[in-house]
Amino acid sequence: MESGERLGLSTAAVVAIACNAMVAILLLVLFLIIYRACKVPSSQERVPVLAVPAGQPQQSSEHKYLLTS
């Protein structure tokens, strides 16, 4: 072996490792966001906009609904 060989990492190698670590963290955050987004139901529930008081009969068979998120 040559006596002038360096055993440590070069600056370029340290920068490459740091950049790869940053990309890995960003990918992890991206997958976490995608996982949480997939848990949200795609069909939205319908909630009646106007509630009929208990003492009054309903006059029409149509209901108005409001989509909630």
Side-chain angles (χ1 to χ4, degrees), residues 1-6:
M1 295 191 134
E2 296 179 14
S3 61
E5 238 179 78
R6 294 189 337 188

Side-chain angles (χ1 to χ4, degrees), residues 3-67:
S3 61
E5 238 179 78
R6 294 189 337 188
L7 298 176
L9 295 174
S10 68
T11 305
V14 172
V15 170
I17 291 171
C19 289
N20 286 333
M22 179 84 70
V23 169
I25 291 170
L26 290 174
L27 281 173
L28 183 65
V29 169
L30 176 67
F31 285 129
L32 181 66
I33 291 170
I34 291 173
Y35 173 75
R36 292 182 62 113
C38 288
K39 289 177 65 175
V40 174
S42 59
S43 62
Q44 298 182 0
E45 297 179 14
R46 293 184 172 202
V47 177
V49 175
L50 301 174
V52 177
Q56 297 178 353
Q58 189 174 351
Q59 295 179 352
S60 70
S61 62
E62 292 184 22
H63 297 281
K64 294 185 179 180
Y65 290 97
L66 172 68
L67 293 176

